[in-house]
Amino acid sequence: MIDDAEGEPERPSRPAYLLDGRRVTIGDLLAAGLLRPGERLRFDRFRLGKAHHATVTEDGRVRLDDGQIFTTPSRAAVVAAGVRAFDGWHAWTVEQSGRYLDSLRQELLDQLAVQSGRDAQTTEQISSELQHRHDFLKNARAQATNDPVEIS
């Protein structure tokens, strides 16, 4: 694990969270109603006693308070903190709810897994396999900090 320029450990890279074969975006959270345009985001740097602020734009981007706009929360976090790398999904919280963007992303994927199960009643076996795989990966992720699961 590499430390960033300010002595904070960089989070290990995680697999991409995919939606229809592409990465989940802030726009997907907006479309699902899990996030609203104009919502304020906060990125606390507890060790440094600093906080960075941003706003979600109508087109699903992140605008820092200095006016810079980014398509991903990670790039916004990197620029705000002035470091080489940072996982913005785990950095930014919604000020009003205190929830991390990653938590909202996971909720979206959970909703879609359940919905795909409902939509695929005629292909119940496929739906069951997708739900099983989603649950397995979700549980593996939850265990990753304490007791990692090896996946081939």
Side-chain angles (χ1 to χ4, degrees):
M1 200 178 312
I2 300 171
D3 285 350
D4 71 17
E6 300 180 54
E8 293 188 22
E10 183 180 43
R11 287 195 166 88
S13 63
R14 296 194 185 272
Y17 296 88
L18 302 180
L19 175 65
D20 295 331
R22 62 174 177 76
R23 290 182 181 196
V24 174
T25 65
I26 297 290
D28 295 321
L29 299 180
L30 288 171
L34 295 171
L35 200 56
R36 293 183 320 270
E39 283 207 80
R40 296 285 295 159
L41 302 177
R42 181 181 177 105
F43 171 19
D44 288 309
R45 304 289 306 273
F46 295 109
R47 290 184 187 170
L48 302 175
K50 292 182 181 180
H52 305 285
H53 301 274
T55 304
V56 176
T57 66
E58 288 185 24
D59 60 355
R61 297 187 291 169
V62 177
R63 181 178 46 243
L64 298 179
D65 281 354
D66 68 5
Q68 295 182 79
I69 299 175
F70 301 94
T71 57
T72 68
S74 293
R75 185 69 186 139
V78 164
V79 171
V83 295
R84 289 176 304 187
F86 217 101
D87 183 348
W89 292 94
H90 291 93
W92 296 104
T93 60
V94 178
E95 283 189 349
Q96 186 174 3
S97 67
R99 291 184 67 188
Y100 282 96
L101 290 179
D102 178 63
S103 170
L104 297 176
R105 175 176 59 180
Q106 190 59 53
E107 183 176 336
L108 172 63
L109 293 171
D110 289 347
Q111 288 175 1
L112 293 173
V114 168
Q115 181 181 346
S116 74
R118 287 189 204 123
D119 293 346
Q121 288 178 1
T122 56
T123 56
E124 194 171 311
Q125 182 180 5
I126 293 171
S127 178
S128 175
E129 290 172 7
L130 288 173
Q131 184 67 46
H132 175 74
R133 180 174 55 183
H134 174 75
D135 291 342
F136 174 78
L137 292 172
K138 184 177 176 182
N139 290 334
R141 178 176 180 230
Q143 284 182 292
T145 55
N146 300 328
D147 185 23
V149 175
E150 186 173 319
I151 301 173
S152 60

